[in-house]
Structure formats: C-alpha cells, structure tokens
Amino acid sequence: MTPYDALIAPFVEFEFMRRAVVGVFALALGAGPLGTFLMLRRMSLTGDAMAHAILPGAAIGFLLAGLNLYAMSLGGMVAGLLVAVGAGVVARATELKEDASLAAFYLISLALGVLIVSLRGSNVDLLHVLFGTVLGIDDATLLLIAGITTATLFTLAVIWRPLVMDCVDPTFLASVSRSGGVSHIAFLALVVLNLVGGFHALGTLLAVGLMMLPAATARFFVRDLSALVALSTLIAFLSGLVGLLVSYHLGTPSGPSIILVAGAAYGCAVVFGPAGGVLSRLLPGRHLEA
C-alpha cells in the first residue's frame, strides 16, 4: 500500500470521509480551548458529568421525533444546562460538595437516558446515541457543528480576559469585577453546546474525550496558555484525522478509534513529555554550571 492509498485516497474517493474530517476539524476548534480551560480550572470530571447529562434530553428528543437532529440537540442542550445549574444549586443549598452532586446527576442522567431510548428504539439506536456516527454526518449536522464552533470562538474572544483571570486568581477578579460569575456561566454554556455538537459525531459517552485528552496531552509539552490552546486544538484534529484513517483501514468503529488515538497520544506524552513527563522527572536536570 502506497502512502497515497493509506493517507489520502480515503478522503478523495469517499464523500462520507470528507464530511467526517470537516466535522472533526470543526469540533477540534471548539474542543481545544474549552478542554484547556476545563483542565486549568480543575473541572475535567465536571465536563465528563455534563457530557452524560445531555443524554436524557437527547433521549426525550429521540422519543418524540426519532433521530431528528434539532429535537435531540435542543433536548440535550436543555438537559445539560439543567444539570449544570442543578448541581450548583444542590452544592450551595446543602452540605454536599459539587463533585458529589455532579456524580449523582451524572448517574441518574445516564440511567434515565438509556431507559428512555430503550422504550422506543432498538439496540442500534442506543448505540447511535451513546457512541455517535461520525461517518454518517450530513449537511445539517455539519452546519450545526460549524455554528456551535463559530459561537464558541466568538464568545471566548469576548470573555477571554475574565476567564483567564478566574483561572489564575479568582479572588482578585471578584474584588475588582463582577464579570467572573458571568464568564463562568457563559463558559459552562459553551461546554454544553460543544458537547451537544460532539454528541452527534462521537456520542454522549465519548464527546468529552476530544476535549480532555488533547488538553491533557498538550500540558506535557507546553506551559504558556496560548500555546497550550493551540497545541490542544491541533492534537484534537490530528487525533480525529488519524482515528478516521484507522477506522477506515481496520474496520473499527470511528468514534472509539478517534478517542483511542487521542488516548495513545496522551500515553506517549505521559512518558516522553518534556514538561513534567515521567522521563523528564527521572532524568537529572541541569544545575548551576561554572
């Protein structure tokens, strides 16, 4: 097999592969910066919980309208926002910590969503909701993902400064501005929106993987925030591209293939990453030299 046959021919010969790679590129543009901020704000598990929280809303949309793009997207967005707000309210109104309340909402949402889909759909429909169909992306889904990504990048440009300051010194931000709370709510809304977009390609169980794994991988190579966002976005796109090729040549499911490629990149970064990887910590560094 020539390099052309292995790397280029699948995208030249098959339209569904071209649609998939465009969809992955759009998802990566939003997932890169959001995953970076989730990691820096120590909200990685929050992102995972919110990814599962959209399931019952998407399942209700499926129950009412079948595999309708807009019904499932609207249901997933409403469910994700309700869970995000509900977990915060429970954490502030009771003695339960936010991580515990999110875990409770996550488990309830996952079980409820699977139950609702099972009431009407088949096992194939359930797999579609849980694991997505990135190779089955159509024009409407591409437009939805592109619209979400555009809104994400525009909103991040507006709230970038308070969002960064909230990561570095939230106490100082609270003392000089009231924008911290607004930027936090806007950030959570962006996470939910991008999880809804990712859900159509990767499913509810894997959508957050394209956010968190590239961001965690990039952290082992760079420290600067701008470089971290750029590298995280690049890794997310390359993971999607390589995952699609692996899926095409080996006949494996596309969504899990993409996330496993991102996981392999993370494993390599853990060992070989120059900024805190295993080898960099074991090998003696340079000390004062004459």
Side-chain angles (χ1 to χ4, degrees):
M1 181 182 295
T2 65
Y4 175 84
D5 293 329
L7 303 176
I8 300 176
F11 301 106
V12 173
E13 296 176 4
F14 299 103
E15 184 179 1
F16 68 86
M17 290 291 288
R18 294 195 293 272
R19 290 176 184 272
V21 79
V22 171
V24 166
F25 176 68
L27 287 173
L29 286 177
L34 290 178
T36 299
F37 280 110
L38 280 171
M39 179 183 64
L40 293 178
R41 294 161 71 93
R42 298 183 179 181
M43 295 174 62
S44 301
L45 293 179
T46 300
D48 185 56
M50 291 171 65
H52 295 85
I54 69 176
L55 180 56
I60 291 174
F62 170 79
L63 191 65
L64 296 176
L67 292 173
N68 181 278
L69 172 69
Y70 300 105
M72 295 178 71
S73 298
L74 180 61
M77 183 172 63
V78 172
L81 292 174
L82 285 176
V83 168
V85 173
V89 170
V90 170
R92 287 164 176 76
T94 67
E95 295 183 355
L96 196 66
K97 299 297 183 182
E98 190 168 11
D99 60 338
S101 62
L102 275 170
F105 275 99
Y106 146 65
L107 292 170
I108 295 169
S109 299
L110 181 59
L112 181 60
V114 171
L115 178 63
I116 292 174
V117 174
S118 301
L119 289 177
R120 174 174 173 176
S122 63
N123 289 336
V124 174
D125 295 323
L126 182 59
L127 288 175
H128 171 85
V129 172
L130 294 179
F131 299 106
T133 53
V134 66
L135 295 180
I137 291 178
D138 56 14
D139 288 341
T141 306
L142 277 180
L143 288 174
L144 175 67
I145 295 173
I148 289 173
T149 299
T150 302
T152 297
L153 296 178
F154 177 79
T155 306
L156 282 176
V158 173
I159 65 173
W160 182 268
R161 289 173 65 89
L163 200 58
V164 172
M165 185 56 65
D166 198 31
C167 293
V168 177
D169 194 343
T171 304
F172 173 76
L173 178 64
S175 67
V176 299
S177 173
R178 295 182 179 179
S179 60
V182 176
S183 64
H184 179 70
I185 293 173
F187 174 71
L188 289 179
L190 291 180
V191 172
V192 172
L193 275 176
N194 279 264
L195 289 173
V196 168
F199 142 73
H200 291 291
L202 301 173
T204 57
L205 294 184
L206 299 176
V208 74
L210 206 60
M211 286 186 185
M212 298 316 309
L213 286 172
T217 302
R219 184 63 180 80
F220 285 102
F221 291 94
V222 294
R223 301 287 192 184
D224 178 75
L225 178 59
S226 299
L228 194 60
V229 169
L231 183 57
S232 176
T233 303
L234 178 61
I235 293 172
F237 173 63
L238 291 178
S239 297
L241 181 64
V242 175
L244 288 173
L245 290 171
V246 169
S247 173
Y248 174 82
H249 290 295
L250 299 183
T252 55
S254 52
S257 297
I258 291 172
I259 301 305
L260 284 175
V261 169
Y266 171 75
C268 292
V270 169
V271 178
F272 301 106
V278 174
L279 291 182
S280 70
R281 295 173 70 90
L282 292 177
L283 296 177
R286 290 188 176 183
H287 298 283
L288 295 175
E289 298 180 354

